[in-house]
Amino acid sequence: MRGRTEILALFAFCLVTATTSFASTITYDSRAIVIDGKRRVLVSGSIHYPRSTPDMWPDLIKKSKDGGLDMIETYVFWNLHEPVRNQYNFEGRNDFVKFVKLVAAAGLYVHLRIGPYVCAEWNYGGFPLWLHFIPGIKFRTDNEPFKAEMQRFTAKIVDMMKQEKLYASQGGPIILSQIENEYGNIDSAYGAAAKPYIKWAADMAVSLDTGVPWVMCQQSDAPDPIINTCNGFYCDQFTPNSNKKPKMWTENWSGWFLSFGGAVPYRPVQDLAFAVARFYQRGGTFQNYYMYHGGTNFGRTTGGPFIATSYDYDAPIDEYGLVRQPKWGHLRDVHKAIKLCEEALIATDPTISSLGPNLEAAVYKTGSVCSAFLANVDIKSDATVKFNGSSYLLPAWSVSILPDCKNVVLNTAKVCFITTFASHFKFWLASLAA
């Protein structure tokens, strides 16, 4: 019996080892993130470790993987980890090393968004309060006291990850990191000091030698080799600032945050699925849901005026860790359909053509490999289109996915849902048209 137990234990260890062995070389080119020499189409979802409990983490990660995700994206929250200067807390809900290791054990990649300014509807944007009282400091600009503190904390997080061998360059799950956060939305307020600050932040991040690419979201002038990425409800029209960088979407807003006294945010899954398919249709190869699980703003962590304790975000996994249907299930099916097109998507750029007013085809074809996306971007009228000699019905505001350029495996507007859900979506479309 003891021998059998030892064999089973060894077998279990081998399984864990097999699922936690990751790539060693992560680069990028004009089409995609490149993992060990191969371009990849990646689907990611945000789960913020301190917005749930450690007991919830394994189940949240499993549901994410079952939903078709390849990666989990999370911020790192400076004020949570260093509430007093040089006094750190990485225990309980703050134990993001444990969180990253659990993601790795499930066989998923990690995008670590260090910031350290994160916004995220989090108290003080993630900055610790003591930072405010450093003499001469000015946040997020070309200011030496601020840059010294930002570099110190960023380097500490990177060193922690290196010590635990969690970067892909060390065989770990982290294949991307982010420095700063949506600075391009407000950099004009900083005048001439903004550009040298961003250049410094980029150089500082790269100098930490993580062995994985760095990104800056909403930063159109992100210096090479930093990848600039898109955040928003729709990013299909986004273009990176260099033809040597891939088209990436770091925040696809699955809903919105809740304000006290405000309506509960709601984004129909048909619209979310449409946005996802359109992004891959028009050349994207990486997109992340913000949020995939929103969770809860525990304690006094919520930021901004009147932002509620709940950070549910109308995400595919709800505040309590339960699958939200039909959103979770329909997006899972969208991911499967897109993955059927991966060989074509990574091989070439799309050829885009008009099929009529508000109607568009995108074809990825190289040799015998061919995949196509047919889109109807009209919000009111269904349409029948001719493509490759066949007729296809396209409901309003939808994308059909044809992995072989012939057969539709999924249309984003067609969901198995109850009548009341269909009514909600029709009402939402009518409000857009009004």
Side-chain angles (χ1 to χ4, degrees):
M1 182 68 182
R2 181 184 174 188
R4 183 183 177 201
T5 302
E6 288 174 348
I7 291 170
L8 288 173
L10 179 62
F11 178 68
F13 173 79
C14 290
L15 281 178
V16 171
T17 303
T19 60
T20 56
S21 178
F22 287 89
S24 58
T25 304
I26 311 295
T27 57
Y28 65 83
D29 63 17
S30 62
R31 284 296 302 133
I33 296 297
V34 179
I35 301 177
D36 280 346
K38 183 177 180 180
R39 292 171 173 172
R40 290 291 307 275
V41 170
L42 296 169
V43 182
S44 175
S46 290
I47 299 176
H48 296 159
Y49 54 94
R51 282 176 158 145
S52 54
T53 65
D55 288 344
M56 295 172 68
W57 293 345
D59 187 58
L60 294 174
I61 294 164
K62 181 180 184 303
K63 286 172 179 172
S64 300
K65 185 175 183 178
D66 291 346
L69 298 195
D70 304 296
M71 181 186 301
I72 301 297
E73 186 178 281
T74 185
Y75 282 124
V76 178
F77 299 86
W78 189 357
N79 56 7
L80 201 66
H81 296 301
E82 195 180 8
V84 177
R85 194 170 188 272
N86 292 319
Q87 295 183 25
Y88 296 98
N89 182 349
F90 295 102
E91 298 178 354
R93 286 187 297 106
N94 301 354
D95 190 353
F96 77 95
V97 169
K98 177 180 179 179
F99 179 77
V100 170
K101 287 182 175 180
L102 286 170
V103 176
L108 300 180
Y109 297 115
V110 173
H111 179 192
L112 197 65
R113 306 176 79 187
I114 299 175
Y117 177 79
V118 299
C119 185
E121 293 73 57
W122 189 270
N123 191 26
Y124 218 22
F127 284 159
L129 185 59
W130 56 260
L131 194 67
H132 179 83
F133 298 103
I134 291 178
I137 200 165
K138 293 182 180 179
F139 292 173
R140 303 178 76 195
T141 190
D142 192 20
N143 171 267
E144 294 306 320
F146 175 74
K147 290 192 296 184
E149 293 300 324
M150 176 175 168
Q151 182 167 0
R152 182 182 60 82
F153 180 75
T154 303
K156 179 174 181 63
I157 298 303
V158 168
D159 287 345
M160 285 180 65
M161 298 299 98
K162 287 182 177 180
Q163 288 169 17
E164 299 290 340
K165 299 188 184 306
L166 292 175
Y167 282 106
S169 54
Q170 304 171 294
I174 302 172
I175 65 171
L176 289 170
S177 284
Q178 179 179 301
I179 195 71
E180 252 297 338
N181 188 72
E182 295 185 329
Y183 189 72
N185 293 347
I186 51 90
D187 59 4
S188 61
Y190 291 93
K195 200 169 191 71
Y197 165 66
I198 282 298
K199 178 68 166 59
W200 169 85
D203 290 344
M204 181 270 290
V206 172
S207 74
L208 296 174
D209 194 25
T210 62
V212 304
W214 287 84
V215 307
M216 285 182 171
C217 61
Q218 296 295 88
Q219 193 68 46
S220 61
D221 62 349
D224 295 342
I226 308 294
I227 306 169
N228 66 304
T229 66
C230 184
N231 292 353
F233 286 111
Y234 310 99
C235 282
D236 51 285
Q237 302 299 318
F238 169 75
T239 302
N241 66 10
S242 167
N243 59 12
K244 296 179 180 179
K245 299 176 184 180
K247 181 173 177 172
M248 296 176 59
W249 191 359
T250 36
E251 291 189 16
N252 178 0
W253 301 328
S254 57
W256 201 243
F257 58 85
L258 176 65
S259 299
F260 283 111
V264 175
Y266 169 69
R267 186 179 186 187
V269 68
Q270 293 98 325
D271 178 59
L272 184 54
F274 170 82
V276 172
R278 281 286 284 169
F279 182 72
Y280 290 103
Q281 174 185 0
R282 296 189 62 87
T285 51
F286 172 97
Q287 81 92 35
N288 174 79
Y289 296 101
Y290 188 98
M291 303 290 297
Y292 199 75
H293 163 73
T296 304
N297 293 314
F298 294 104
R300 298 181 183 275
T301 56
T302 184
F306 306 116
I307 294 174
T309 302
S310 172
Y311 202 68
D312 181 87
Y313 227 87
D314 195 32
I317 302 174
D318 74 10
E319 179 179 5
Y320 308 106
L322 303 176
V323 165
R324 171 174 276 119
Q325 297 289 20
K327 185 169 277 189
W328 182 90
H330 187 46
L331 293 177
R332 175 201 57 198
D333 295 343
V334 171
H335 305 154
K336 288 180 179 178
I338 289 167
K339 289 292 186 173
L340 291 174
C341 304
E342 182 167 14
E343 186 179 359
L345 288 171
I346 63 174
T348 186
D349 293 318
T351 299
I352 298 173
S353 60
S354 174
L355 300 175
N358 294 322
L359 301 167
E360 183 180 277
V363 178
Y364 293 85
K365 182 173 175 58
T366 177
S368 60
V369 177
C370 185
S371 293
F373 296 74
L374 309 181
N376 179 0
V377 299
D378 192 290
I379 63 174
K380 293 188 291 185
S381 301
D382 298 349
T384 299
V385 300
K386 282 281 189 181
F387 175 74
N388 282 353
S390 298
S391 296
Y392 298 89
L393 175 64
L394 297 177
W397 204 247
S398 77
V399 177
S400 285
I401 301 175
L402 296 70
D404 60 357
C405 284
K406 295 178 183 178
N407 298 293
V408 176
V409 297
L410 181 137
N411 178 275
T412 58
K414 296 179 180 179
V415 189
C416 294
F417 52 82
I418 58 176
T419 304
T420 53
F421 190 85
S423 299
H424 278 309
F425 184 61
K426 289 176 181 177
F427 176 79
W428 179 80
L429 278 181
S431 68
L432 281 181

